[in-house]
Amino acid sequence: MKKNKLYLFILLAATVGYSWISWNYYTYGRGAGGIDLCLFRKLTGLPCPSCGTTRSVLSISHLHFADALYYNPIGFIMALCLCVLPVWVLIDTISKKNSFHRFYLNAEIIVRRKWVAVLLVSLVAGNWIWNIYKYTS
Amino acid sequence: MESQKVDMFLMANAKYFESHMIPYIHEQLLKMDDSKFMMLQTVNLKDPIMMLIVSLFGGHLGIDRFILGETGLGIAKLLTCGGLGIWTIVDFFLIMGHTKEVNMQKLQMVLY
């Protein structure tokens, strides 16, 4: 992926992410109710691997880390990404460096290694099974 | 490369590329050295129709992006519930064109 396209994508994704989180932050618990955008859950009636991430990030913002872990551990990764990536990309853009682009390309190479891929897929699958268990029980 | 070989390659593989790219590919293949023909045959081109089907069924989990070799975007799509469901729907319409673009990039790696 080219540098400019990647940086634009990250900034756009961060904007959407922050808007989504703040929308849910203000509506959560006020009776307005959040909007459910998960296609997978609507079609199959079962949660997808990342269902619960919004609730998890909201719990982290309230410093309720145990709740965040229970809703979905992916929330921690997402909260970290939301905090770090836009700042990193902006610093890179201002200082005209490409450290994030290099990191992204290296990370892609590492993730494609067989044992890393197998490990990550099993983690996601395990989390998915736990998610379905939480939803159905 | 011989014109007959180029025509044969294009007849078998035209569906993998944008139609407006075909004349350019034809021209480039004619200029290409004959020794690269074997390499050209082994390029792993993805079928746009197959990618659309994958996108319809597994797009929410980012499987389409993983298959196209865009691991980073695949992970992003997987971890964000298919980009809040919106990215998944957008990809239903874009994935075929994008697959053809990726195929063109792969072909260009052999050509140059």
Side-chain angles (χ1 to χ4, degrees):
Chain A
M1 201 174 191
K2 289 205 175 85
K3 187 191 158 191
N4 288 348
K5 211 173 163 188
L6 176 71
Y7 283 18
L8 195 68
F9 174 79
I10 295 283
L11 291 178
L12 194 75
T15 315
V16 175
Y18 273 111
S19 317
W20 174 250
I21 295 295
S22 21
W23 164 260
N24 279 277
Y25 190 88
Y26 288 112
T27 54
Y28 199 68
R30 290 191 185 183
I35 308 164
D36 182 13
L37 284 175
C38 186
L39 285 178
F40 194 90
R41 189 160 59 190
K42 279 186 181 157
L43 287 172
T44 60
L46 289 172
C48 76
S50 50
C51 274
T53 308
T54 308
R55 277 167 290 162
S56 179
V57 174
L58 287 176
S59 301
I60 292 169
S61 70
H62 289 113
L63 303 177
H64 299 152
F65 296 113
D67 284 353
L69 194 70
Y70 176 75
Y71 284 135
N72 199 331
I74 289 174
F76 287 98
I77 302 170
M78 209 47 78
L80 191 73
C81 288
L82 276 173
C83 292
V84 173
L85 297 191
V87 180
W88 193 349
V89 165
L90 281 177
I91 289 173
D92 252 16
T93 315
I94 293 164
S95 58
K96 289 180 181 165
K97 283 181 184 163
N98 59 348
S99 57
F100 177 70
H101 188 231
R102 267 185 286 134
F103 167 79
Y104 176 82
L105 294 177
N106 286 333
E108 266 198 332
I109 292 167
I110 293 169
V111 166
R112 275 186 209 147
R113 279 186 200 152
K114 208 175 221 174
W115 67 270
V116 181
V118 169
L119 183 74
L120 290 178
V121 168
S122 22
L123 276 175
V124 170
N127 184 43
W128 194 4
I129 293 165
W130 188 31
N131 228 357
I132 294 170
Y133 172 75
K134 279 181 282 189
Y135 194 73
T136 48
S137 62
Chain B
M1 213 159 71
E2 285 169 40
S3 171
Q4 200 186 349
K5 273 185 180 174
V6 173
D7 288 345
M8 199 177 78
F9 177 81
L10 282 179
M11 258 165 61
N13 298 303
K15 63 178 177 177
Y16 297 125
F17 305 100
E18 296 281 8
S19 49
H20 64 85
M21 293 306 287
I22 300 291
Y24 170 74
I25 296 171
H26 187 268
E27 200 180 299
Q28 292 299 316
L29 287 180
L30 282 174
K31 280 187 211 163
M32 199 178 80
D33 193 64
D34 227 4
S35 59
K36 282 186 177 173
F37 186 67
M38 270 306 284
M39 261 172 79
L40 188 69
Q41 296 284 27
T42 54
V43 179
N44 185 15
L45 299 170
K46 303 285 183 220
D47 188 349
I49 302 282
M50 190 202 77
M51 287 313 302
L52 177 64
I53 296 167
V54 171
S55 189
L56 286 170
F57 289 101
H60 191 80
L61 307 177
I63 296 170
D64 46 356
R65 294 286 174 170
F66 283 116
I67 291 178
L68 285 178
E70 296 168 327
T71 319
L73 289 181
I75 294 173
K77 212 171 166 183
L78 172 69
L79 296 188
T80 55
C81 252
L84 299 173
I86 300 162
W87 188 3
T88 311
I89 297 171
V90 171
D91 258 359
F92 291 165
F93 300 96
L94 298 186
I95 200 76
M96 283 176 76
H98 188 65
T99 309
K100 289 173 181 173
E101 223 172 87
V102 171
N103 284 337
M104 191 62 208
Q105 282 167 11
K106 282 182 184 170
L107 187 75
Q108 264 167 342
M109 281 173 77
V110 176
L111 289 174
Y112 304 110

